[in-house]
Amino acid sequence: MQTKQQKSILSKVGRINNKFVYLALVIILCGPLISPLGLPLLLGEETQFVYDYIDQLPEGSLIVISMDFSSNHIEIILQARVFLQHVLDRPIKFIMPSFEVEGNMMTLQIFNYLDVGNNEYGIDYVMIPYIPGGDVAIAAFAKDVRGIVSTDYYGTSLDDLPIMNEFQSMDDIDFWFVFSGPSAGGGGIEPTIKQIKAPYDTPLACGLTTVQVPGVYPYFKSGLIIGLLAGQRGAAEYELINKTPGEAVKQTDSLSLGHLYVISLVVLGNISYFYEKSKGVKR
Amino acid sequence: MSVLNSREIPIIITALVGFVTLISYYIAIPQLDVLADVFVQSSVIIAAFALAFVGPINILRFHSGIIIKRVENRWMFSTWMLFVMFLTIVLGVFAKPFAAGALFLQWYQMTIMPLNATFQSLTGFYITAVAYRTFKLRSLETSVLLITGILVMLKNAAIGAIIWPGFVTIGTWIMDVPNTAGFRGIIISTAVGVIAYSVRVLLGYERGHLGGE
């Protein structure tokens, strides 16, 4: 039997059935996807730094793009699409190793959405198969890639790939970008900082999920990484800077309204909590 | 006691590999460099074997036990689990996995990707419900946590800047100052702890990695 206080509207706002909470969340998230609101997005400096660095790399530069994420890191998939397209549109070459189990699978999936233009596989870009071991794998790759892999993902000898002839040591690498998912074991931004930035001082940047950003932000503030793409928002910012608004920008409205919805629920829950506390109602 | 059963041999190997790799990082001795490279490359091979064999064998052992004992409400899921695992192994090893349109890739794209995305999406609903039910201003610490979290969320959401531009300034300050300071402390203390533990492992004082008693 509900007490008079529990029947009060101030109490009821803290007891909404989960079914309605989830239903409202679905409507709020799906609505902007169907009819975008076009909310303006302020561009962050951490994303701008990454874009500017790629944009100013001289022609013929060789970079590494490490694909250390899996299929549940949707935010990174969005980042990878726009970032790789930007790199493909520039006259620079890139090597794509993977220190995460699903990295190669994700690379193949993402390339379905990209326009490679005049870039040729084996000459302008190459995919290295998954290398297990995390820190030691990254260290071994940097020291001597031919010591641990002899072929690319498709089984072609590294010596038969012109791009790999340009990679004899880390002195040949002009930039290292890592798409880093928050998984235990495997690669990621922190092993890369330890094994690439520390010994070789190669310029480094990363793409992360939103939950990783607070932990990696100190590396950005101290200059160990020149920039970072922060989750879905980072992907949207990159799309806007690159002047190719796509999926990430479309989803920004949903993200904003979703955040606002969660904050509203927290406020309502606290209003109910303090009301019941003041009336001495036990939950 | 048999030499092979002694714990001294793995401790000596650990110390040898560790010290050679450590010294070669700081001092350029060509012979030591070659040895360190061998050790690092061997680690990658050992990691590959661990991934390819130890994991599946453990899964097979564990779930076979459940199937054999016909544990109620679990044995059918274990059967399905082993079936899917072997199917994935067969597709990956034998069905030309690196060819264009490979069955393995299609299997991955049709099953693992949508399932992973689904489970990730469920997290959003779960977090919403948890935030609604449990994020209360019960004490000073929880209040600081909650208010800080809300301010950072408003900084990240595009709508935050529209409601009030100050949210971006405050959120940026939170990330630049208290967050950076706090995580720097955690990173440095973790690194010091790892160094201390590693020294103990190299000197043979820590034996947890050897297994057994």
Side-chain angles (χ1 to χ4, degrees), chain B residues 92-190:
Chain B
V93 173
F94 299 107
K96 291 186 185 171
F98 306 117
L103 271 176
F104 180 76
L105 196 57
Q106 290 181 35
W107 171 248
Y108 174 82
Q109 289 172 346
M110 286 191 293
T111 57
I112 296 172
M113 282 191 67
L115 285 171
N116 268 342
T118 303
F119 273 101
Q120 195 71 4
S121 306
L122 288 176
T123 309
F125 290 93
Y126 177 69
I127 286 174
T128 304
V130 165
Y132 175 50
R133 306 267 174 230
T134 62
F135 285 7
K136 302 289 190 287
L137 300 171
R138 290 196 175 94
S139 65
L140 178 64
E141 291 84 7
T142 53
S143 304
V144 170
L145 179 69
L146 186 57
I147 293 168
T148 311
I150 288 174
L151 288 170
V152 174
M153 278 175 74
L154 287 168
K155 177 244 175 191
N156 285 331
I159 205 163
I162 295 169
I163 295 170
W164 181 48
F167 284 134
V168 177
T169 310
I170 295 170
T172 306
W173 180 86
I174 290 172
M175 290 296 287
D176 283 352
V177 181
N179 173 76
T180 300
F183 264 104
R184 274 185 184 156
I186 292 170
I187 289 166
I188 292 170
S189 58
T190 306

Side-chain angles (χ1 to χ4, degrees), chain A residues 153-215:
Chain A
Y153 178 78
Y154 298 104
T156 309
S157 170
L158 294 184
D159 294 329
D160 294 336
L161 297 165
I163 187 174
M164 291 307 293
N165 292 332
E166 297 183 34
F167 177 32
Q168 300 298 327
S169 73
M170 281 301 294
D171 291 336
D172 300 318
I173 301 299
D174 301 301
F175 182 62
W176 188 298
F177 190 94
V178 52
F179 286 108
S180 171
S183 54
I189 181 61
E190 273 152 348
T192 308
I193 289 172
K194 281 186 276 179
Q195 304 300 338
I196 301 298
K197 182 64 183 174
Y200 302 105
D201 200 24
T202 305
L204 181 62
C206 60
L208 311 163
T209 58
T210 311
V211 294
Q212 294 171 279
V213 172

Side-chain angles (χ1 to χ4, degrees), chain A residues 97-274:
Chain A
S98 174
F99 305 101
E100 187 64 40
V101 174
E102 293 182 48
N104 292 137
M105 302 287 114
M106 297 315 304
T107 309
L108 292 170
Q109 174 71 5
I110 286 162
F111 261 80
N112 289 335
Y113 295 90
L114 302 179
D115 173 18
V116 297
N118 295 327
N119 294 286
E120 268 188 68
Y121 184 86
I123 298 173
D124 301 300
Y125 65 100
V126 68
M127 193 160 72
I128 303 296
Y130 163 60
I131 307 168
D135 281 63
V136 288
I138 298 171
F141 177 90
K143 194 81 185 287
D144 178 17
V145 62
R146 287 163 182 79
I148 46 171
V149 286
S150 55
T151 68
D152 73 342
Y153 178 78
Y154 298 104
T156 309
S157 170
L158 294 184
D159 294 329
D160 294 336
L161 297 165
I163 187 174
M164 291 307 293
N165 292 332
E166 297 183 34
F167 177 32
Q168 300 298 327
S169 73
M170 281 301 294
D171 291 336
D172 300 318
I173 301 299
D174 301 301
F175 182 62
W176 188 298
F177 190 94
V178 52
F179 286 108
S180 171
S183 54
I189 181 61
E190 273 152 348
T192 308
I193 289 172
K194 281 186 276 179
Q195 304 300 338
I196 301 298
K197 182 64 183 174
Y200 302 105
D201 200 24
T202 305
L204 181 62
C206 60
L208 311 163
T209 58
T210 311
V211 294
Q212 294 171 279
V213 172
V216 177
Y217 205 74
Y219 297 120
F220 168 64
K221 293 309 290 185
S222 64
L224 280 171
I225 56 176
I226 60 111
L228 58 93
L229 304 183
Q232 187 270 340
R233 186 195 165 97
E237 288 174 357
Y238 207 95
E239 284 181 359
L240 288 175
I241 299 171
N242 197 37
K243 297 185 175 47
T244 53
E247 279 299 318
V249 171
K250 234 193 277 185
Q251 293 174 16
T252 303
D253 293 341
S254 293
L255 187 69
S256 290
L257 293 186
H259 281 163
L260 210 55
Y261 176 61
V262 171
I263 291 169
S264 307
L265 285 177
V266 169
V267 169
L268 287 176
N270 276 281
I271 289 172
S272 169
Y273 169 72
F274 281 111

Side-chain angles (χ1 to χ4, degrees), chain B residues 55-75:
Chain B
I57 288 171
N58 272 335
I59 289 173
L60 181 66
R61 213 171 63 162
F62 179 75
H63 288 279
S64 299
I66 293 173
I67 295 168
I68 289 167
K69 290 176 193 165
R70 284 281 195 273
V71 175
E72 200 179 333
N73 295 329
R74 288 180 65 183
W75 70 269

Side-chain angles (χ1 to χ4, degrees), chain A residues 45-89:
Chain A
E45 60 171 8
E46 57 268 7
T47 310
Q48 188 72 54
F49 288 155
V50 175
Y51 182 88
D52 289 344
Y53 200 94
I54 295 292
D55 225 33
Q56 58 82 40
L57 281 171
E59 185 175 338
S61 296
L62 180 62
I63 70 174
V64 170
I65 304 174
S66 183
M67 311 292 274
D68 299 347
F69 63 103
S70 55
S71 52
N72 52 345
H73 306 135
I74 311 293
E75 299 164 290
I76 299 180
I77 294 172
L78 293 172
Q79 292 170 5
R81 281 192 211 170
V82 61
F83 180 84
L84 283 170
Q85 188 62 67
H86 181 212
V87 172
L88 283 165
D89 292 340

